[in-house]
Amino acid sequence: MDLPTLLEGWHELHQKANYGTLSVIALQRESSMYYETKLLGLCGAIEALHKGFHPKSLDYRERCVALAQ
């Protein structure tokens, strides 16, 4: 693999997954949250990651079904 292709792929992955991944990591490290609140935050972060990788316009229900699969 040549360097321009590698850098382009890294940039695309960074744009799609950076904030969702950082949110998941931050929520996992947080120790003062209630478990229910942490679970809700993780679900939101995972949904954001899924939306970044699959940007086609799905409504909320369709996105949840796709995540479950």
Side-chain angles (χ1 to χ4, degrees), residues 2 8 10 12 25 29 31 51-52 54 57-59 68-69:
D2 61 341
E8 182 180 337
W10 177 85
E12 182 180 349
I25 292 168
R29 296 185 73 186
S31 61
K51 188 175 184 178
H54 304 284
S57 59
L58 299 174
D59 65 17
Q69 293 174 347

Side-chain angles (χ1 to χ4, degrees), residues 1 3 5 10-11 14 16 18 20-23 26 30 33 37-40 42 44 46 52 55 59-60 64:
M1 179 178 287
L3 184 59
T5 303
W10 177 85
H11 178 71
H14 183 267
K16 290 180 178 180
N18 185 46
T21 302
L22 291 177
S23 295
E30 177 59 48
M33 296 175 80
T37 306
K38 189 182 283 191
L39 180 61
L40 180 63
L42 285 171
I46 290 169
D59 65 17
Y60 183 74
C64 289

